[in-house]
Amino acid sequence: MTVLKKLTTAAAGALLAASLATPASAAEVTIRVGHLNPADPFESHSGAMAAIFKSLVESASSGEIEVLLYPNGQLGKDNEVIQQVRDGIVESTISSAGGIAQHYPLVGVFDIPFAFPNIAVASRVIDQRSDFGKKFTGDLEAKTGLKVLGMIDSGGFFAFSNSERPIETVEDMKGLKIRTMTLPTHKAMVDSLGGQATPLPWAEVYTSLQTGVADGQMNPIPIIAFAKFDEVQKYLSITNHVITPYIWTMNKDFYEGLSPEHQKIVAWASEVATEAGRGVSRVIEASERGLPKLAEKMEVNVVTPEEQQKFAAAAQPAVRKLIEESLGTEGVDMLNAMLDAIDKASM
């Protein structure tokens, strides 16, 4: 890193730290939590997680800990906020797989299409307390220096939306420009299905769909709903092709610097908040805030199990090959551990 770049980075960090400065309060400890999604706990799981965490921590600590929330990407792009947490500028963040991947590429093992048979199995596996969750988060912590507070699905299974046509078969994907997170595995998945993967940061997605930079995108129903993609997309295809984690992290030095009592409060409050976030996603999916809301403006179709098998046959080999080539033996080991966990959870 050049001297100029070091100075620029330091200056940026100083400016951010200054912007986060808060007036003095009675609290002994301040925890700042950033995330990409709306603050309303009824609109997104991370909004619910953050709100519940704040309530529990502040009440349980009798005001000794103050929790400040920064929703809607106020602190920057996902990967940038994770770096802020690693650097100790911000204490905590709830992050998408796309942001995590730039710090811990092995999160890509979750992207094997159609690996999870249903949401119940996914919930058992995508949990920091499960056997696989302990292996995965332990490795993430060792490689990044972050403390994992929770791991949750990103809002359910992914669906495709687009402005051109219903996606009912693999052939319908041909030529569609599909926005993906900046995940090589997602790019490989879309390209293997005949689409044109268009990686874009979250802040640019709505405008890109509106202007035609991308024809479509893929996300869980709750995210499609709160992002108002029904305003710029005509077709919604329920493919249930992949499910990815959101991972809640905290600066490890900050956590370890808390008193034992405060550590205990943070640990149980984040566990309760994570469980609540999981439940909120299920409620949004099924309520008037989720699929029924989207169906008012969008043409919705469900891809049949027979066609899902064809999607899987086209996409699984490409994603597996990428994992083997880019993540090496570590990636293959983590992938196999996840697939074994899915088999056990399916029994």
Side-chain angles (χ1 to χ4, degrees):
M1 183 180 289
T2 65
V3 172
L4 178 60
K5 187 171 182 181
K6 287 181 179 178
L7 290 172
T8 302
T9 302
L15 285 171
L16 178 62
S19 70
L20 293 172
T22 57
S25 70
E28 298 175 9
V29 176
T30 298
I31 300 176
R32 289 160 289 195
V33 182
H35 63 93
L36 292 180
N37 300 328
D40 186 341
F42 297 103
E43 284 194 30
S44 72
H45 58 31
S46 54
M49 292 160 70
I52 292 168
F53 180 73
K54 175 180 173 67
S55 175
L56 293 177
V57 168
E58 291 184 344
S59 60
S61 69
S62 300
E64 292 177 356
I65 305 175
E66 178 183 34
V67 178
L68 303 178
L69 306 181
Y70 297 86
N72 292 308
Q74 291 178 23
L75 301 182
K77 297 177 182 178
D78 219 0
N79 65 299
E80 295 172 344
V81 184
I82 296 169
Q83 188 62 54
Q84 292 164 21
V85 174
R86 295 181 74 176
D87 291 341
I89 298 171
V90 176
E91 286 75 36
S92 184
T93 184
I94 306 170
S95 311
S96 70
I100 289 290
Q102 298 183 53
H103 298 265
Y104 182 69
L106 265 67
V107 73
V109 301
F110 286 94
D111 294 326
I112 290 290
F114 303 99
F116 291 90
N118 56 59
I119 194 67
V121 170
S123 295
R124 294 176 197 135
V125 175
I126 305 175
D127 188 319
Q128 76 275 18
R129 299 164 300 180
S130 70
D131 289 343
F132 173 73
K134 291 174 183 176
K135 174 182 175 67
F136 178 82
T137 59
D139 192 60
L140 186 156
E141 289 179 343
K143 289 184 168 66
T144 64
L146 293 165
K147 166 73 177 175
V148 175
L149 297 181
M151 185 164 70
I152 187 174
D153 67 82
S154 59
F157 284 100
F158 278 49
F160 283 113
S161 71
N162 81 98
S163 57
E164 298 296 319
R165 55 183 174 268
I167 297 172
E168 298 176 333
T169 68
V170 174
E171 288 71 28
D172 294 326
M173 288 286 297
K174 188 174 182 181
L176 289 178
K177 294 177 291 184
I178 302 294
R179 180 268 173 180
T180 67
M181 289 187 279
T182 53
L183 287 167
T185 41
H186 282 198
K187 183 179 187 302
M189 186 188 313
V190 169
D191 289 345
S192 69
L193 294 171
Q196 297 177 24
T198 308
L200 292 167
W202 176 248
E204 299 175 17
V205 180
Y206 185 96
T207 301
S208 297
L209 296 173
Q210 187 178 44
T211 59
V213 170
D215 299 317
Q217 60 83 52
M218 60 181 196
N219 261 304
I221 295 299
I223 293 179
I224 295 172
F226 78 64
K228 296 181 169 53
F229 289 156
D230 55 325
E231 297 177 348
V232 290
Q233 299 273 268
K234 184 175 180 180
Y235 303 102
L236 178 63
S237 301
I238 309 300
T239 48
N240 293 340
H241 56 287
V242 73
I243 190 164
T244 64
Y246 254 55
I247 301 175
W248 188 355
T249 57
M250 176 170 276
N251 180 278
K252 187 176 181 181
D253 289 340
F254 171 81
Y255 179 82
E256 292 180 347
L258 295 172
S259 69
E261 182 60 27
H262 285 174
Q263 285 185 9
K264 182 178 179 180
I265 290 171
V266 167
W268 72 255
S270 58
E271 181 177 341
V272 172
T274 299
E275 283 298 318
R278 188 174 284 114
V280 164
S281 289
R282 305 292 82 80
V283 171
I284 294 173
E285 284 178 308
S287 74
E288 70 279 358
R289 291 174 177 266
L291 190 56
K293 172 183 177 291
L294 295 175
E296 292 176 2
K297 292 184 179 180
M298 304 178 78
E299 181 180 316
V300 181
N301 70 282
V302 179
V303 175
T304 66
E306 293 77 19
E307 289 299 325
Q308 283 184 340
Q309 291 179 6
K310 295 177 183 178
F311 274 80
Q316 280 183 352
V319 176
R320 181 181 285 274
K321 180 180 179 183
L322 179 63
I323 289 172
E324 292 172 350
E325 292 177 349
S326 63
L327 301 181
T329 56
E330 281 190 323
V332 173
D333 174 67
M334 192 67 74
L335 172 61
N336 289 336
M338 185 189 76
L339 295 176
D340 288 344
I342 292 170
D343 287 341
K344 291 177 182 176
S346 301
M347 294 177 179

